[in-house]
Amino acid sequence: MIRKYTFGSQVPTDAVVQSLPAESGAVPYFTLSREENRVILTLSLLPDEILFGLGESVRGINKRGFRYRSWNSDVFNHTESTESLYGSHNLLVFFSPSRLFGVYLDDPGLVTWDLGYTRSDTAVITSENGDLDLYVLEESSLTELARAFRRLTGRSYLPPRWAFGYIQSRWGYASEQEIRAVTSEHRKRHIPLDAVCMDIDYMTDFRNFTWKPDAFPDLKGFSESLKKDHLRLVPIIDAGIPVAPGYAPYDTGKAAGLFCRKEDGSDFVAAVWPGRCVFPDFLREDARIWFGNLYRALLEAGIEGFWNDMNEPALFYSDEGIADAFARAEELRGGRVEYEAMWGLKDAFNGIANSMDDYRRFYHRIGGAAVRHDRVHNLYGAGMTRAAAEGFRRFDPSRRFLLFSRSSFIGAHRNGGIWQGDNFSWWSHLKMALQMLPNLNLCGFLYSGCDLGGFGCNVTEDLLERFLQLGVFTPLMRNHSALHTREQEIYRFSSWEMMRDTVGVRYALLPYLYSEFMKAALTDGMYFRPLAFDYPEDSRAVRVEDQLMLGEGCMIAPVLEQNAEGRYVYLPEDMLMVRFRSAADYDLVPLDKGDHRISLGLNEFPLFVRKNHPLLLCAGGESSETMDDRHFTVLCRMDRDVGYSLYRDDGENPDPDLARGLTDVALDTALLRASPVPGVAISDILL
Ligand code: GLC
């Protein structure tokens, strides 16, 4: 059951698709108070209560014990003390043996989640705007609660099937030749690959929807020739439009008055990669249509996937912000500067980027009224995602496009995926990526993944390998790194064959993982889940922080530490461990419920499969398009006859029919007689 409560008058956020009447009584579970405009919800936490949700945020799967802020932020340097990341996903689920409910704040402004931070036994949720729709969700299980939330907010985005292939990316690829060098190194060494991302350097002067004519003299021809080799290009698009009269997107947007404005009616200007930019007012439908149509030039050049970036929006500086910092410096000039003033001065300059002052300097037009940006800040990236997705649909309604964004808000999960932003080549960020995934799924973002290898800093060979071992299972499997960091393509490393074999496992599993993803998306389910969803009564399982359930029948438990030659794994039930070294080389080890020390050399990683759940492996391949998804080896630890329904489709139909896509696979216990591994059926099938 979902109950809705309305406070003040919130602007339309497009987050919710179900229209529910607002209740008039008191909000259950919480004590409500108001301070100026703020709405404050307070609740005593039960000693054994676990909190799930808040999608993209740092720290554990259980969010208890920290303070988070929903405020979409460009945070290149994030650590475990960072309170806000790139997206705001205001769903929190309270789970304990004695109560289960969720609270969702449809509120596009700043929301603070003090979850046992100020007082360890108290949660305090504060909406700064005080204008919001609040939903309280009650269902009989975590899984049902997640499903109810998805029904409230709409079905998850469906990427094309090729988007489940391996994607190579690096900030710095600047020409056709450089990209060809990357693709040919992969093909030459048989490292599977489906796509290469084009970061900002493909553009002329970092201007969206342009490409450097010398570096890409025939983009269409280039993309077509890559497609013959089953490869795709995925260009980046940034939110800001450079102030450059003569540049068509600037001229047309300016003429139609589609940019965000300051109080005096002039366009708000701040610098991003191209220098001084204006910002499309993505909260307006006419601006979204105009922006969505700008993708056409690239779509006509054969591009089928994009990543949208800098859409919090990131603001490097504004002239006003710089003037304010200099004014602060002027106040101190000539005097004796003591250390406090010096730190203040330093902060004045350090705080120029993404400053709250700038976010208060501009306005959106919503329903004819001017709304100051900070009140609706968290909607901006979602508006850009929507503009792009709707533009693609107008261009070609008969197929799915790849789209993933950096900034997001609930609702954007219907239009695109997200990547987890600028992580670093740190072991702690490998763990953070894992822990974020189930909470992103809970909030609707099924198509997601992190920059494998880490974006900032220099990766080490072992860290890249362990990142790839997680990436084998994440729907978005992209290796991405920053300019000036160590080159991170697999073929740069002496143990590239080991990494190639790891990516090869992804391709052997791809039909199965795609099936699990599509079934989750089409039934409003989750692809990754905390163990608590499947074993709510197992007091050990509910607190596991470094293992995830995947699809109907699997569990992952990657190695997250350097120099580890294995790890402890908790099995909440009897399972089959498939310890992979490559698509063709793996051990099958039946393990019983309980704790196990698993030995995992650097080239090894496990997948745990529930008893009586068949796992389907194909022969793999070098691209998602050339794989044979009819011949499979089926592996199953079983003690009865079992079946599995594999979902397959053409990989691009935008409105797939779940029932029509399913093919049933049946395994008979008679298979066990011939098996070299007791209790495990191994069977080759043709579908
Ligand atoms: C931002 C993005 C990153 C990209 C860079 C240059 O930092 O998050 O992925 O490579 O900008 O475009």
Side-chain angles (χ1 to χ4, degrees), residues 171 199-200 236 273 307 309-310 406 419 422 455 480:
W171 178 5
D199 206 324
I200 49 173
I236 195 170
W273 301 122
W307 46 313
D309 192 21
M310 309 305 277
R406 194 172 72 177
W419 90 97
D422 294 345
F455 174 73
H480 181 49

Side-chain angles (χ1 to χ4, degrees), residues 12 61 116 145 168 178 247 320 343 362 370 395 429 467 554 600 603 637 643:
I61 299 175
L145 199 147
Q168 176 57 47
E178 273 178 72
Y247 162 57
E320 294 90 334
W343 291 124
F362 64 99
F395 178 76
H429 276 188
F467 258 110
C554 293
L600 296 161
N603 64 335
R637 177 178 184 186

Side-chain angles (χ1 to χ4, degrees), residues 48 50 52 95-100 140-144 529-543 549 570 572-573 610:
D48 53 358
I50 292 174
F52 296 117
F95 166 73
S96 72
S98 46
R99 68 179 181 192
L100 168 65
S140 56
S141 68
L142 283 164
T143 302
E144 282 312 311
R529 295 177 303 284
L531 271 57
F533 280 59
D534 296 57
Y535 309 97
E537 272 151 31
D538 178 335
S539 58
R540 282 283 308 282
V542 298
R543 294 197 177 268
M549 300 310 293
Y570 174 67
E573 62 173 299
R610 279 178 161 156

Side-chain angles (χ1 to χ4, degrees), residues 192 503-511 583-584 617-624 626-629 631-632:
V503 181
V505 175
R506 162 60 160 238
Y507 281 72
L509 284 169
L510 202 147
L617 287 175
C618 73
E622 287 186 42
S623 98
S624 65
T626 54
M627 292 174 31
D628 171 3
D629 69 351
H631 288 88
F632 291 95

Side-chain angles (χ1 to χ4, degrees), residues 434-453:
L434 173 97
Q435 293 180 317
M436 227 187 266
L437 287 163
N439 285 320
L440 286 174
N441 273 247
L442 177 57
C443 295
F445 292 92
L446 266 50
Y447 187 77
S448 184
C450 68
D451 287 351
L452 299 174

Side-chain angles (χ1 to χ4, degrees), residues 576 588 634-638 667-669 671-672 675 677 679-683:
L576 169 67
L588 298 177
V634 190
L635 308 170
C636 189
R637 177 178 184 186
M638 58 197 258
L667 292 186
D668 194 303
T669 44
L671 285 165
L672 293 174
S675 172
V677 187
V680 180
I682 305 170
S683 170

